[in-house]
Amino acid sequence: MVAQRGRRNGRNGSAPAAKSASDVDNAPTAPLPVTGGDPTTAPTGAASAGGAGSNTTRSIPEAAVARLAVYLRVLSAMAEQGATTVSSEELSAAAGVNSAKLRKDLSYLGSYGTRGVGYEVEVLIGQIERTLGLTRKHKVAVVGIGNLGHALANYGGFPGRGFPVAALFDIDPDLIGVPVGGIPVSHLDDIPKVCVERDISIGVIATPPAAAQSVCDRLVAGGVQSILNFAPAVLQVPDHVEVRKVDLAVELQILSFHVARKAGGEVEGREADGNAEGGADGDAKGAVMS
Amino acid sequence: MVAQRGRRNGRNGSAPAAKSASDVDNAPTAPLPVTGGDPTTAPTGAASAGGAGSNTTRSIPEAAVARLAVYLRVLSAMAEQGATTVSSEELSAAAGVNSAKLRKDLSYLGSYGTRGVGYEVEVLIGQIERTLGLTRKHKVAVVGIGNLGHALANYGGFPGRGFPVAALFDIDPDLIGVPVGGIPVSHLDDIPKVCVERDISIGVIATPPAAAQSVCDRLVAGGVQSILNFAPAVLQVPDHVEVRKVDLAVELQILSFHVARKAGGEVEGREADGNAEGGADGDAKGAVMS
DNA sequence: CTTTGTGAAGACCTTCACAGCC
DNA sequence: GGCTGTGAAGGTCTTCACAAAG
């Protein structure tokens, strides 16, 4: 085997320092030396769990975790339909991945399948929920009740269950105290206090970019461990805080890249696999949307 | 990050108005209507997610493309501040990546740096825009004008420039014809026709999951080449169509996973809320200043 | 000197293919 | 026979470290 050095899953880098005159309103941000950045990200190794003692669970690849969430959704739908068992072939097809990958992903949970038969739906659901930490609720705070924040707060309790929105924040005086989706909006200044009081574990940032870092700092001060950032800004956080970002502009630009690639590269003869017509599929299903 | 200076705390523009009648359904989205979602349809795995395909040509890694978009944003902010050149060290710190990765990413564009000096901001901006295909506009259609779709349609022309929203669709009769963000809402049935007429190149799906595949098929029939999917559903598309998904539930579950992992092997203790879900947790604690 | 650009090494993920159990 | 679980092969992306250029 190979001797591995730093284990630790690559999280988002967290060594860099903000530069420029980040106005950041309020920002009492520390100086943060930019130069001499220590290339070797050497956080206190600790946390990584792995090391000490034997662990029953070896770290699951980040990519696999994301897929587990998808499998869970598909399995729940199947269970509701009455299915009791599934094969890796069926489940993988429904989840849009190939079966080998699915089996590998499930193997991180342990061995819960039956050879020659498949997996028991309920068992699998239970195991994935346990692994993803869904056996307990994670209270969510949404910061920035603008268009997006408003939508998030009204998301009917938030996607799937288990993520109750328990706090809302904004800086607009006209919004403070106004209930949105049943929760009154509090002021940004109260983030630390309210997050501690309500035991918030996940913070969602839906503010303009200029306010994002400041809001992030307050969430961290409030003991929030994970942050979902919708603001187009790079956040600086302590090593123990997990950040995931959803950047609409980036997504669109990636799509733009692919459009350009397809259109621009039309040099050769064969590009799009023919099939210009998609064959309008008349499958009109009842859409139950808003 | 730059951004305007001065001004304490960015104000969150919150568009009050809106609302009106229950601003949009909301419909807690019945937990996956048992509709014949037919999870069993197993179209030979194939295609779908993942680059897969034979990227024979030296194409830029997908991961690098996503970062280029971030660099572009950072560079634009720097340019506004008056910066004319940047070193890989500065830019990488501001973008939250390490400098080697940044240089490697930029090398996909060609050689636009000057050794011993750095990169010229304007030149870099131009090259990234060219590579991402941002030199032309990509018209966007938003389908599903619920909470989220409404927010997207009002996103002020959409993140950054270059992605004008040119069409909106929904199935609700009360919404058809009503202008949102300046564009009147059309019916789902008109997707193919309208997309062709207005030369839409990117479709954004913000409908409930049950309607997603049907909407997707219509977008494809309308010649849309790229789709950004916010619905928690796996989409089946022809090879020449690019799909990216943004799944809120998945993001939260990934964060949940990390929270659980940090909480350690045990520590259950907390749990607290023994209440059955029901939701509305009392917790009407103060903080309601108004 | 400083900083870019890049081969090479390595970490990470995916895919293959088959042994092993039903 | 059918299907899972997994070592090993194969790719992709990241990091290292250094030669080349200014």
Side-chain angles (χ1 to χ4, degrees):
Chain A
M1 296 316 203
V2 185
Q4 51 181 153
R5 327 180 7 167
R7 62 175 57 84
R8 173 174 214 66
N9 270 346
R11 276 285 50 80
N12 52 355
S14 54
K19 208 311 166 206
S20 316
S22 55
D23 49 295
V24 183
D25 31 316
N26 124 356
T29 311
L32 283 172
V34 177
T35 48
D38 182 346
T40 53
T41 319
T44 56
S48 254
S54 54
N55 352 320
T56 36
T57 356
R58 58 195 58 202
S59 65
I60 302 177
E62 184 88 7
V65 173
R67 287 189 299 267
L68 284 175
V70 174
Y71 304 153
L72 179 58
R73 185 172 64 225
V74 173
L75 284 166
S76 298
M78 287 177 168
E80 243 171 81
Q81 256 200 335
T84 59
T85 64
V86 265
S87 65
S88 61
E89 208 61 60
E90 293 174 291
L91 183 50
S92 66
V97 303
N98 80 34
S99 65
K101 190 188 291 184
L102 176 126
R103 288 198 301 279
K104 178 75 86 179
D105 288 344
L106 293 186
S107 77
Y108 293 119
L109 309 178
S111 289
Y112 296 101
T114 305
R115 293 167 197 244
V117 180
Y119 302 86
E120 244 183 274
V121 175
E122 290 302 338
V123 171
L124 220 44
I125 288 177
Q127 288 306 319
I128 294 177
E129 285 182 338
R130 184 180 58 77
T131 301
L132 295 184
L134 302 177
T135 49
R136 82 169 180 83
K137 289 197 158 96
H138 297 270
K139 295 189 188 167
V140 174
V142 177
V143 188
I145 315 301
N147 276 318
L148 180 59
H150 210 273
L152 296 175
N154 276 317
Y155 229 136
F158 243 76
R161 53 199 164 303
F163 296 97
V165 175
L168 300 176
F169 301 96
D170 203 303
I171 200 175
D172 182 348
D174 293 342
L175 276 174
I176 309 298
V178 176
V180 174
I183 314 260
V185 177
S186 304
H187 192 277
L188 289 195
D189 291 338
D190 298 325
I191 290 178
K193 190 185 67 175
V194 173
C195 284
V196 169
E197 282 173 5
R198 303 188 194 172
D199 191 32
I200 300 294
S201 50
I202 297 177
V204 177
I205 300 178
T207 67
Q213 184 62 58
S214 159
V215 163
C216 175
D217 293 340
R218 297 180 200 193
L219 286 170
V220 171
V224 168
Q225 308 173 60
S226 297
I227 292 174
L228 182 53
N229 180 32
F230 284 88
V234 178
L235 297 180
Q236 233 60 51
V237 296
D239 289 352
H240 64 94
V241 175
E242 187 76 23
V243 174
R244 288 193 63 86
K245 75 178 209 296
V246 174
D247 192 322
L248 208 42
V250 169
E251 294 299 329
L252 289 175
Q253 288 172 3
I254 292 171
L255 288 175
S256 167
F257 169 78
H258 289 291
V259 171
R261 170 159 296 276
K262 257 167 287 188
E266 58 179 271
V267 214
E268 331 264 63
R270 140 172 288 107
E271 54 200 91
D273 317 53
N275 184 10
E277 168 75 65
D281 187 15
D283 173 357
K285 196 176 288 182
V288 186
M289 49 182 58
S290 43
Chain B
M1 304 286 111
V2 197
Q4 284 79 343
R5 47 187 344 328
R7 191 130 287 243
R8 314 189 58 234
N9 282 327
R11 54 183 210 34
N12 297 314
S14 51
K19 73 166 38 192
S20 75
S22 81
D23 73 349
V24 201
D25 72 309
N26 154 39
T29 307
L32 281 172
V34 188
T35 66
D38 73 30
T40 50
T41 21
T44 60
S48 87
S54 51
N55 278 351
T56 46
T57 30
R58 61 182 58 197
S59 62
I60 303 178
E62 185 88 4
V65 173
R67 288 190 298 268
L68 285 174
V70 174
Y71 305 153
L72 178 58
R73 186 174 63 223
V74 173
L75 285 166
S76 298
M78 287 178 168
E80 238 169 86
Q81 250 200 340
T84 58
T85 64
V86 266
S87 65
S88 61
E89 208 61 60
E90 292 175 293
L91 182 51
S92 66
V97 303
N98 82 31
S99 65
K101 190 188 291 183
L102 176 126
R103 288 198 301 277
K104 178 76 84 179
D105 288 345
L106 293 185
S107 77
Y108 293 119
L109 310 178
S111 289
Y112 297 100
T114 304
R115 295 170 195 239
V117 180
Y119 302 86
E120 243 183 273
V121 175
E122 290 301 339
V123 172
L124 221 45
I125 288 176
Q127 288 307 319
I128 295 177
E129 285 182 339
R130 184 179 57 78
T131 302
L132 296 184
L134 303 177
T135 48
R136 83 170 179 80
K137 285 192 155 72
H138 298 271
K139 294 188 189 170
V140 174
V142 176
V143 187
I145 314 301
N147 275 317
L148 179 59
H150 210 273
L152 296 175
N154 276 317
Y155 230 136
F158 243 77
R161 247 191 276 325
F163 296 97
V165 175
L168 300 176
F169 302 96
D170 202 304
I171 200 175
D172 183 347
D174 293 341
L175 277 174
I176 310 297
V178 176
V180 175
I183 315 265
V185 177
S186 304
H187 192 279
L188 289 195
D189 293 337
D190 298 326
I191 290 177
K193 191 186 67 176
V194 174
C195 284
V196 168
E197 281 173 4
R198 304 188 194 170
D199 191 31
I200 300 295
S201 51
I202 297 178
V204 176
I205 300 178
T207 68
Q213 183 63 58
S214 157
V215 163
C216 175
D217 293 340
R218 296 180 201 193
L219 286 170
V220 171
V224 167
Q225 308 174 59
S226 296
I227 293 175
L228 182 54
N229 179 33
F230 283 89
V234 178
L235 296 180
Q236 228 66 48
V237 295
D239 289 354
H240 64 94
V241 175
E242 187 76 22
V243 175
R244 288 194 61 88
K245 75 178 210 296
V246 173
D247 192 325
L248 209 41
V250 169
E251 295 299 328
L252 288 174
Q253 289 171 4
I254 292 171
L255 288 175
S256 167
F257 169 78
H258 289 291
V259 170
R261 176 146 300 261
K262 255 167 289 189
E266 49 192 312
V267 185
E268 306 257 294
R270 181 86 91 243
E271 219 45 67
D273 54 295
N275 294 329
E277 356 221 304
D281 56 23
D283 193 348
K285 220 143 199 203
V288 181
M289 38 198 101
S290 123

